[in-house]
Amino acid sequence: LKAGAGGDLGGVHADEVRRGFVRKVYGLLTVQLIATTLLAWGTMAAIQSSDGDKAAVLGLVVAASSVSFFIMCVWCCVPRLLTTYPFNLVMLGMFTLAEGVLVGVCCAV
């Protein structure tokens, strides 16, 4: 963003824009960490209550890894989708959920 005279961006100061951006980034990060923690806890509890059924655990690992890999491939092959709202948030949410399952499996095993 280019600031005009005195650091003004059409009535909005650059500091306000910066604070808004930081608030948005940390808000998304907080939601991701909470979702990952809750999903990992749920996955870990489910695995432990099922006495570690190896086929189910393997299925979870394969499914979550496949989703993560697919999303990473999409992000690498079509980088413009990283800035396409709301597609970027949907993909970020799917990636967070898949990683939460993987963290839960790692903690349970």
Side-chain angles (χ1 to χ4, degrees):
L1 294 172
K2 282 190 170 183
D8 189 50
L9 299 169
V12 179
H13 292 284
D15 289 338
E16 292 176 33
V17 173
R18 188 177 302 113
R19 276 193 293 266
F21 175 74
V22 169
R23 205 172 315 133
K24 182 178 177 182
V25 168
Y26 280 116
L28 280 170
L29 181 61
T30 301
V31 169
Q32 274 188 287
L33 289 173
I34 290 170
T36 301
T37 301
L38 292 175
L39 193 57
W41 174 73
T43 303
M44 189 174 67
I47 290 172
Q48 289 174 345
S49 69
S50 70
D51 295 327
D53 180 20
K54 292 186 189 308
V57 172
L58 181 62
L60 278 174
V61 169
V62 168
S65 297
S66 298
V67 169
S68 292
F69 183 74
F70 171 75
I71 291 170
M72 293 303 289
C73 287
V74 169
W75 282 340
C76 289
C77 295
V78 191
R80 69 179 164 75
L81 292 179
L82 287 170
T83 58
T84 305
Y85 177 83
F87 186 77
N88 56 353
L89 292 180
V90 171
M91 294 293 278
L92 184 62
M94 290 172 49
F95 183 77
T96 300
L97 295 177
E99 292 301 310
V101 170
L102 288 174
V103 169
V105 169
C106 289
C107 290
V109 176

